[in-house]
Amino acid sequence: MTNSATQSAINTQVEGWNRPREIEPDGDNELLEVAMGPHHPSTHGVFRMDVALDGERIIRLKPVFGYLHRNHEKLGEGQTYLASIPYTDRLDYICSLTNNWAYALAVEKLGGIEVPERAEYLRVIVGELTRVQNHALSVGFLIQDMGASGTPLMYAFREREKILDLFEQLTGSRMMCNYMRFGGCRVDASAEWLDGVRKVVAGLPAFADEYEALLCTNEILMARTQGVGILPPELAVNAGATGPLLRASGVNYDLRKVDHYSIYDRFDFKVPLGDHGDVYDRFMIRLLELRQSIWILEQALKDIPGGPIMDPKAKIRGFRPKPGEAYGRIEAPKGELGFYLISDGGPNPYRYRVRPPSLINLTVLEDMCLGQNVADVVLILGSVDIVLGEVDR
Amino acid sequence: MLGEGILKGLAETAKNFAGSYVSKERLTTVQYPEERIPTSESARVFPFLVYDGPDWEAGLRCVACQICEKECPPKCIYIEKSKDKKPDYVGKLQIYPARFDIDVSVCMSCQICVEVCPFEAIKMDVEFELSTDDRFGGLLRNRQHLAKSNEYYHQIHPTEASEVDARLGEEKAKLEAKAKAAAAAAAAKAAAPAAPAAKPAESTPKPAEGTDKQ
Ligand code: SF4
Ligand code: SF4
C-alpha cells in the first residue's frame, strides 16, 4: 500500500484518483517506525497500523489487518442458506440486525421471495434502532479515544442498553439476534414490545439533546477534531467509501434514498451532509443521523400494520434457489453492506461474498492521516467507525 | 466566551450526578452477583431437551431424527440412534437418542436447532452461568444433563410452552381420534375372517418443514 511504485501506477492509470501529497520528512531524515497495535486500546480490536513518524508527524501509515480472520465467506459456501444467518450476526457485532437484513435481502433477491408488509416495518424498526445504538456508541468511543474516558461513552452505553433490552425481548439475544429469515422475520412483535419501543424512542430525543449539550460546543473537542483528518469528497468517492464517512465529506449518497430498498420510500427523512470532511463533521453527522432515525422510528411505529410476518411460500429448511446471482445491499450504520451470492441450484451458495463497509472505509485511512500528529491518528481511526469482525471476516 | 461549551457539558454531568440520588431511573447498573436483573422471557442461551412425565429417560420427546444435528451451523450436536424403540408422547413406538451430546464451547446459541425440530423436543434454556473448571467433560453436555422437564420449560418460557402444549395436545387428540376410527373400522372388518390388524396411530406427526416454531 505504501509502495510508491504501485502508487504512481495507480496515479497514472485511474484518472481522478488523486492521492494526497506525499509527505516529505523534514530535517535529518530520521524516521521512527512504530507498530500501533494489534493490541492497542485505540484500535477497536486487533488491528495494527505500522506508522513511520518524523517527530510527531505521520509520514507513512500501513494498516495491517487479518488478525480476526475466521473464513466467514468460505464457511458460508459450505453451509445451507439458513445456517449462514447466525454467522452474519458476528460480522459487525454491534449491528447484527442490519447484517441479517442485508443477507436476507440478497437471498430474497436470489430466490424471488416477497416480504410481507408487517415484516418490512419490523425490519425498519429494528434496523433504525440498530443505527441509533451504533451511532451513539461510535460517538461515545470517538470521544473516549480523545481522552474523555468514561462519561460520554457511559451515557451512550446507558441508552444502548435500553435498545439491547428491546432486542432481547424480541429476538432472545442482545447482540447476536439472528432475527431475520428470507421471507420475513422469525418472531412477531407483541403489542407490549411495540409499546416498549415507543417508550424508548420517546426518550431518545432527550438523550440526543443531552449529548449535544454535553459535547457539541466543547472547546477541547472542537480544537481536537476540527480540521483534522480531512477526506476530500473526490477521494472518498473514488475509494468507494460509504456511510457517514462519505456523507461527512458532503457527498449526498444514502442507499435508503438511492436504492429504494425495503419501504424507506414511505418515510420522510433527511440525509445530513457535512461540508468539511473532518473528524468533527463525522461526529456531527452521526448525531444528526441519530435524530433522523428517531424520526423514521416514530413514523414506522405509527403506521405498522398487522398481518403475517413470513411469506407463506418461503422455505427455511431445504431452500434451493434456482441457479443465478444476486447482490443485496443496505445502508448499514457504517455504510453500504452488501452480500453477493451465486447459486448453482444446490442447498449451499456457490459463492458467498460480503462487502463490508468498515473494510472499504479503511482504505482511505492513510490519506486522512498523512501529515497529522500521532495522537490524531487515533481520533481519525475512531471517526471511521470500524468493527474488526467485519473488516477481517 | 472560551470555556462556555465545557461549562455547559459539566452542567449536564452535574445534573446526572445529582439526579442519581433522587431518581432511581438514573441508576442504570446493578451489583451483579448479589443483585440480578430477571431474564427476559424470550432469552436464549443454550439448548435443553424437554421430557414429559416424571422419568427423564422415558419421557424424552426427542426421536433422534437428527434434523437438528444436520442443521446446526457449527455442528455441535452429536446424536446416536438407539437400536430399540420406546413409546413417545402419543404412545407410538419410536427410536430415541441413545446418545445426545451438545458441546457448550461450540454452540453459538443461535436457536436454529429449536426452529427446525419438528417434535418440539429441544428448547432454549435461560441459564447463563455455564462456566466450569473442567474444560472437556464439563463443557460437553450429555443427554442426562440436557434433559429438563416440561414444567421447567413452562417456568422459563410460559407463553411459548403453553402454545407448544396446546399444539401437541391437538395433535395427540387428532391421532387418538384417528386410532379410534381405525380401531372401529378394524372391529367392523373383524367380522370378516383374516382382517388386517388395526394399526393405531399410523401416521407420524409430519415434520412441519419451514414453519416457524416460535
Ligand atoms: S443453538 Fe445453534 S449452535 Fe447451539 S446447538 Fe442449537 S443449532 Fe447448534
Ligand atoms: S430435531 Fe428434535 S427430535 Fe430430531 S434429533 Fe433433534 S431434538 Fe431430537
Side-chain angles (χ1 to χ4, degrees):
Chain A
M1 219 162 282
T2 50
N3 185 333
S4 60
T6 15
Q7 240 178 51
S8 59
I10 291 170
N11 276 336
T12 49
Q13 277 163 19
V14 187
E15 200 151 343
W17 178 273
N18 39 353
R19 308 270 305 185
R21 67 241 180 258
E22 293 262 311
I23 300 290
E24 288 304 325
D26 50 3
D28 43 12
N29 234 356
E30 263 187 30
L31 291 190
L32 181 66
E33 300 227 357
V34 181
M36 287 176 80
H39 300 289
H40 189 278
S42 76
T43 55
H44 299 229
V46 271
F47 171 65
R48 194 171 100 220
M49 290 175 284
D50 284 342
V51 291
L53 301 174
D54 177 30
E56 281 276 317
R57 275 194 326 147
I58 306 282
I59 305 295
R60 269 200 314 275
L61 184 146
K62 185 172 150 213
V64 183
F65 32 74
Y67 294 97
L68 208 59
H69 181 69
R70 55 210 186 281
N71 227 344
H72 180 86
E73 291 178 359
K74 201 68 199 168
L75 276 177
E77 286 160 23
Q79 307 228 20
T80 58
Y81 288 88
L82 171 67
S84 283
I85 295 182
Y87 284 112
T88 61
D89 288 339
R90 283 135 178 104
L91 280 173
D92 174 356
Y93 40 79
I94 312 271
C95 323
S96 65
L97 283 157
T98 45
N99 300 346
N100 286 178
W101 193 357
Y103 178 67
L105 206 68
V107 181
E108 278 153 13
K109 274 191 185 170
L110 195 63
I113 307 169
E114 293 286 317
V115 183
E117 185 98 348
R118 184 176 171 84
E120 290 281 20
Y121 271 91
L122 282 175
R123 285 181 178 190
V124 168
I125 290 172
V126 294
E128 293 304 318
L129 281 174
T130 305
R131 194 181 317 276
V132 168
Q133 57 109 349
N134 177 72
H135 283 356
L137 212 60
S138 74
V139 168
F141 273 117
L142 174 64
I143 310 297
Q144 166 101 347
D145 288 345
M146 232 177 69
S149 48
T151 312
L153 181 62
M154 287 305 134
Y155 284 14
F157 264 119
R158 186 189 63 198
E159 225 50 37
R160 172 174 180 255
E161 205 57 29
K162 295 179 190 159
I163 293 173
L164 290 192
D165 282 348
L166 288 174
F167 288 170
E168 184 176 18
Q169 280 161 23
L170 180 67
T171 70
S173 185
R174 288 153 47 82
M175 289 171 79
M176 302 297 138
C177 297
N178 184 17
Y179 180 54
M180 286 168 206
R181 293 287 175 270
F182 11 105
C185 301
R186 184 161 54 82
V187 281
D188 199 357
S190 61
E192 298 88 69
W193 187 79
L194 287 172
D195 283 338
V197 180
R198 286 191 187 100
K199 224 170 105 206
V200 169
V201 170
L204 284 174
F207 162 69
D209 289 343
E210 180 186 47
Y211 227 56
E212 277 174 15
L214 181 67
L215 298 169
C216 285
T217 51
N218 187 309
E219 283 83 359
I220 303 174
L221 186 137
M222 292 201 279
R224 283 291 309 274
T225 55
Q226 287 179 344
V228 170
I230 292 178
L231 177 66
E234 308 82 46
L235 176 66
V237 171
N238 285 340
T242 44
L245 180 69
L246 177 68
R247 290 192 288 272
S249 294
V251 183
N252 188 354
Y253 183 75
D254 186 321
L255 284 178
R256 291 175 292 176
K257 291 275 192 199
V258 176
D259 209 36
H260 309 286
Y261 69 93
S262 188
I263 48 167
Y264 275 110
D265 283 345
R266 297 186 196 174
F267 302 116
D268 159 44
F269 65 99
K270 296 197 183 75
V271 180
L273 297 177
D275 50 16
H276 303 100
D278 56 5
V279 175
Y280 187 76
D281 273 9
R282 276 167 230 145
F283 156 78
M284 271 318 281
I285 288 281
R286 294 208 166 91
L287 285 181
L288 294 172
E289 273 187 17
L290 194 147
R291 286 202 187 262
Q292 293 300 322
S293 289
I294 300 172
W295 174 223
I296 297 176
L297 276 168
E298 281 168 0
Q299 296 173 54
L301 285 166
K302 203 163 81 244
D303 10 279
I304 178 165
I309 49 155
M310 276 298 279
D311 183 1
K313 289 200 298 294
K315 213 162 152 224
I316 299 299
R317 267 191 63 219
F319 174 70
R320 286 164 178 264
K322 284 198 234 20
E325 53 177 19
Y327 181 62
R329 57 179 189 169
I330 67 163
E331 179 74 32
K334 296 184 168 66
E336 173 184 337
L337 174 65
F339 283 85
Y340 177 60
L341 296 167
I342 302 182
S343 161
D344 56 359
N348 308 341
Y350 172 75
R351 178 77 173 99
Y352 171 99
R353 156 98 185 130
V354 191
R355 184 240 188 253
S358 300
L359 171 71
I360 314 273
N361 288 353
L362 262 187
T363 52
V364 284
L365 182 67
E366 183 182 18
D367 307 271
M368 291 192 282
C369 290
L370 289 185
Q372 305 281 352
N373 288 340
V374 190
D376 293 335
V377 171
V378 173
L379 263 187
I380 294 167
L381 180 68
S383 74
V384 180
D385 188 15
I386 57 165
V387 157
L388 265 297
E390 188 176 68
V391 173
D392 295 342
R393 303 191 302 298
Chain B
M1 184 188 87
L2 188 69
E4 202 182 322
I6 296 177
L7 288 178
K8 223 162 95 187
L10 281 177
E12 237 11 272
T13 46
K15 222 163 46 192
N16 268 290
F17 174 67
S20 65
Y21 284 97
V22 283
S23 129
K24 260 232 160 279
E25 248 173 57
R26 284 179 197 258
L27 284 178
T28 42
T29 50
V30 296
Q31 302 294 327
Y32 161 60
E34 291 86 27
E35 280 175 67
R36 277 150 196 266
I37 303 172
T39 47
S40 120
E41 203 191 308
S42 55
R44 58 177 148 94
V45 180
F46 189 68
F48 68 94
L49 296 171
V50 190
Y51 69 87
D52 301 299
D55 181 16
W56 72 267
E57 207 170 353
L60 276 186
R61 286 184 190 167
C62 175
V63 298
C65 68
Q66 292 181 311
I67 292 177
C68 56
E69 186 184 32
K70 202 165 131 256
E71 293 288 334
C72 170
K75 304 272 181 282
C76 64
I77 305 180
Y78 178 73
I79 300 173
E80 248 170 45
K81 291 185 180 188
S82 64
K83 297 276 183 306
D84 54 337
K85 295 189 171 187
K86 73 170 181 57
D88 70 353
Y89 67 103
V90 284
K92 184 180 176 301
L93 285 179
Q94 293 270 25
I95 46 171
Y96 59 92
R99 209 170 148 190
F100 196 114
D101 298 339
I102 306 185
D103 195 337
V104 183
S105 54
V106 178
C107 172
M108 59 180 184
S109 312
C110 65
Q111 207 182 28
I112 284 196
C113 47
V114 177
E115 256 178 274
V116 298
C117 173
F119 299 95
E120 313 282 2
I122 189 165
K123 296 290 164 196
M124 294 307 272
D125 206 345
V126 293
E127 169 73 49
F128 56 89
E129 285 150 323
L130 295 168
S131 57
T132 161
D133 51 10
D134 178 4
R135 230 177 99 194
F136 301 105
L139 288 174
L140 190 70
R141 298 290 169 100
N142 61 23
R143 62 189 184 131
Q144 186 174 0
H145 279 136
L146 291 169
K148 306 253 167 84
S149 67
N150 196 18
E151 286 73 49
Y152 175 76
Y153 180 35
H154 272 275
Q155 217 177 323
I156 55 172
H157 302 300
T159 339
E160 191 190 303
S162 314
E163 278 168 20
V164 166
D165 273 9
R167 200 154 48 223
L168 287 180
E170 221 171 78
E171 251 165 40
K172 194 173 172 182
K174 233 191 269 166
L175 282 176
E176 263 167 10
K178 209 171 173 184
K180 233 189 237 159
K189 263 192 202 162
K199 273 198 234 154
E202 188 158 13
S203 64
T204 35
K206 248 213 176 138
E209 273 198 20
T211 49
D212 202 326
K213 282 279 131 52
Q214 288 298 299

